[in-house]
Amino acid sequence: MTAQLLDGRSVSAAKLEELTAEVSRFVRVRGRRPVLATVLVGDDPASHTYVRMKVNRCHQVGIESRRLDLDAGIGTEELCRVISELSADPEVDGILLQHPVPDHIDERAAFEAIDPGKDVDGVTRTSFAAMAFTEDGFASATPGGILALLDAYGVPLSGRHAVVIGRSAILGKPMGMLLLGRDATVTYCHSRTANLREHVQRADVVVAAVGRPGIIKGEWVKPGAVVVDAGYADNQGDVEFDTAAKRASFITPVPGGVGPMTIATLLTQTVRAAERQAAAFTAAQ
Ligand code: NAP
């Protein structure tokens, strides 16, 4: 292997340490802890694991978590009502609705029930627009975490050709927008893209966000390219790691690359939301 690892575990650990100090200051000044509400619908084992990891990390840095585990049979209307109540609750700073929700639920409607000021996972239209217009707002947590990881290693983005494979609303699309906001030249690939191989071969930066193990062949990677693998299915990423690592300059491991950065971004944005909410409360007194 010649590539340097983009080590999300160590970068996120450093970020969480800084955040722990910030939370202590917040508690001292405000007399309360930041609060993240997590909403999980149904019994998908992977989603349960993700929520448990997020709740554990909250406790590690001193954020209070309020966990709502809802029955898989809940309807869109009832779920939106529950989320709207959290949006209106002054004791809640941030809201995470774990994606994906069961198929019968209108996920977009449920996301839009989150108050944009509490949208610490960056899933609402308001957050999406802020990313698109490079305005101040909450970044989509996984793309925001990927950008933070690239920044931690000083990976230049301006003028470079970034190829994002995947265009989901929570990952691929916002990833491309954030890279565009950093002056990369962005190509999106998806299930209808012809000649995926040729696009990847031209990329200075590859972000794989599909969820199909090994769909990106290591031999497609341009020598010296930066490879970020957000995919995770059957305990594997989207990129053939061993061959890609021989050609890339930087590469994320799976696991231990993107996942920990997603959680660090979620928690960082929760503390930002709490600070804003506390400042607004003080100003209103
Ligand atoms: P998704 O909603 O299923 O989107 C997958 C995307 O891949 C779609 O845009 C799809 O294209 C595209 N795609 C499917 N087959 C393709 C092909 N043959 N060639 C090129 N593109 C193809 O999934 P997601 O929620 O974005 O998640 C993607 C992956 O990231 C999953 O493995 C998920 O587990 C992982 N993930 C990781 C984290 C983390 O923190 N590490 C967070 C979120 C997600 P179409 O739009 O044309 O269907």
Side-chain angles (χ1 to χ4, degrees):
M1 176 173 145
T2 54
Q4 185 179 350
L5 276 187
L6 294 165
D7 183 352
R9 276 204 187 106
S10 67
V11 173
S12 71
K15 286 197 179 292
L16 293 185
E17 211 176 299
E18 281 169 28
L19 208 55
T20 306
E22 263 184 65
V23 171
S24 296
R25 273 196 299 278
F26 181 90
V27 173
R28 240 186 352 261
V29 175
R30 301 293 180 183
R32 68 172 184 89
R33 294 191 174 281
V35 176
L36 174 68
T38 63
V39 181
L40 173 62
V41 183
D43 14 75
D44 174 51
S47 293
H48 271 264
T49 304
Y50 295 141
V51 169
R52 196 170 53 243
M53 285 162 68
K54 289 165 186 173
V55 167
N56 287 345
R57 287 286 179 262
C58 279
H59 295 160
Q60 183 189 327
V61 303
I63 294 173
E64 194 177 312
S65 68
R66 196 188 289 184
R67 186 171 166 166
L68 281 83
D69 287 3
L70 306 173
D71 192 85
I74 192 170
T76 299
E77 203 174 316
E78 177 62 2
L79 177 59
C80 289
R81 193 189 58 74
V82 170
I83 294 172
S84 298
E85 277 176 18
L86 294 171
S87 290
D89 186 339
E91 290 180 5
V92 171
D93 297 300
I95 302 169
L96 162 85
L97 170 62
Q98 183 63 41
H99 159 91
V101 294
D103 287 346
H104 68 275
I105 290 173
D106 179 349
E107 186 175 75
R108 178 50 39 205
F111 280 153
E112 294 308 319
I114 298 172
D115 179 318
K118 300 186 180 187
D119 179 22
V120 293
D121 203 27
V123 294
T124 59
R125 289 192 184 106
T126 302
S127 298
F128 196 83
M131 284 182 277
F133 290 117
T134 56
E135 288 172 354
D136 191 30
F138 293 121
S140 197
T142 302
I146 290 171
L147 214 54
L149 184 60
L150 294 171
D151 286 345
Y153 284 86
V155 172
L157 296 170
S158 177
R160 302 188 87 190
H161 182 200
V163 172
V164 180
I165 307 111
R167 57 172 169 179
S168 72
I170 62 140
L171 215 179
K173 259 184 207 152
M175 184 75 250
M177 290 188 317
L178 291 179
L179 289 165
L180 189 62
R182 299 289 289 273
D183 298 323
T185 302
V186 179
T187 299
Y188 283 102
C189 298
H190 45 79
S191 66
R192 309 292 173 87
T193 297
N195 298 323
L196 180 61
R197 173 194 188 120
E198 284 173 20
H199 291 288
V200 173
Q201 280 173 330
R202 283 197 290 269
D204 300 313
V205 179
V206 179
V207 181
V210 179
R212 289 199 184 188
I215 187 173
I216 308 299
K217 307 298 171 208
E219 65 186 31
W220 298 355
V221 172
K222 183 163 97 175
V226 176
V227 177
V228 176
D229 192 350
Y232 194 65
D234 303 328
N235 297 319
Q236 296 169 70
D238 289 340
V239 180
E240 282 182 349
F241 182 87
D242 290 343
T243 34
K246 289 197 178 97
R247 300 167 68 86
S249 55
F250 290 95
I251 191 166
T252 54
V254 178
V258 173
M261 294 304 298
T262 298
I263 300 183
T265 303
L266 173 75
L267 269 49
T268 301
Q269 296 193 142
T270 300
V271 175
R272 296 284 164 275
E275 279 162 354
R276 281 182 206 168
Q277 180 134 305
F281 180 77
T282 306
Q285 294 303 295

